[in-house]
Amino acid sequence: MLVVKFVPCNKNTISGLINKTVKFSTVLEFNDFNELSYSSNIFSDRKKSEFNWKNLIKQGIAEIVNRRFQDPNFKNQILNFLKMRPYKKTFVDCVEDYLKEHDNINNCPCNDIQRAILECTACTLVGIFCASSVNVFKTDAAQLMFAHYADNLKGLALLYEVPAGKSNKVTYIPYDKIVPKIAPSKDLEKWESGKFSTTITPFLYKSKGWEYENEYRLFSKPGISSLDEHGLSLKAIFHTSIFDQESLKLLKKINEKHYEDKLLIQEIGIDSASNYRRFVIYEN
């Protein structure tokens, strides 16, 4: 199975190529407001009794949430999370006032604040690696994604291979307007310990408007991890004619030193004969 990821050519990308790593980002780091509309409301279907904080303490959920407060960035993550969601400003202000005075939520008087912080906690525990089916090159989807994600066509398309034995860990995104009812609170314990299934529904559904991306996702703890850990191997790097030539020389040096010159590094361009204005690989 082959998947492609469109990226800018920056220091993080170069570091990943040299060290053979990928980054698993949380949805809070994504550049799509709609993403949070689909991935949050994680616990919106749960019964109100489950949000009795005494019950959550018994389940160990409160302890997981409170551990997140040890991260100095967590409070800002909560506020950014709320600002990207359809919460009223008065509610966001209320949460901000609470966070200024508390480093846990054991005595939080408001059920809605508990719920919001719980949802944000879930979002900070799940790391996501996003890529697309190589079928995006059959239409103009690749051109759109190259422009959107790869620095307006000045970046790279990285082609990864997922071996047959690992392909069951890569999950295709269902594009739907209806998000299923999902995620009991106890899932937080699994996610904190790094146990992820391929059916983490809060982080799988996206708007049909993004269907052209043909997206697959792989789940892990947030942060940088090796390709080998996830059974991924980099096979090719594609660039356009406007890619920086000095950066191209650097890629070739990385290929020689770290990949024994086995990577395909190739320019791609627009197929003028195609009705879809799709990309084609230029022959040397």
Side-chain angles (χ1 to χ4, degrees), residues 106-124:
N106 291 345
N107 299 311
C108 179
C110 177
N111 212 22
D112 289 336
I113 292 179
Q114 290 174 351
R115 184 189 299 262
I117 294 177
L118 193 62
E119 288 187 358
C120 183
T121 300
C123 289
T124 64

Side-chain angles (χ1 to χ4, degrees), residues 16-61:
L17 292 174
I18 292 173
N19 297 303
K20 300 181 181 180
T21 58
V22 289
K23 182 182 180 185
F24 284 77
S25 304
T26 69
V27 292
L28 301 181
E29 301 172 83
F30 286 8
N31 62 354
D32 176 16
F33 276 100
N34 292 322
E35 186 77 32
L36 285 171
S37 298
Y38 277 75
S39 63
S40 63
N41 285 328
I42 294 173
F43 307 105
S44 59
D45 62 310
R46 312 318 300 172
K47 296 178 181 178
K48 288 185 178 180
S49 60
E50 288 197 30
F51 280 87
N52 180 307
W53 203 241
K54 291 182 180 179
N55 290 341
L56 293 179
I57 290 174
K58 289 179 182 178
Q59 295 173 27
I61 304 304

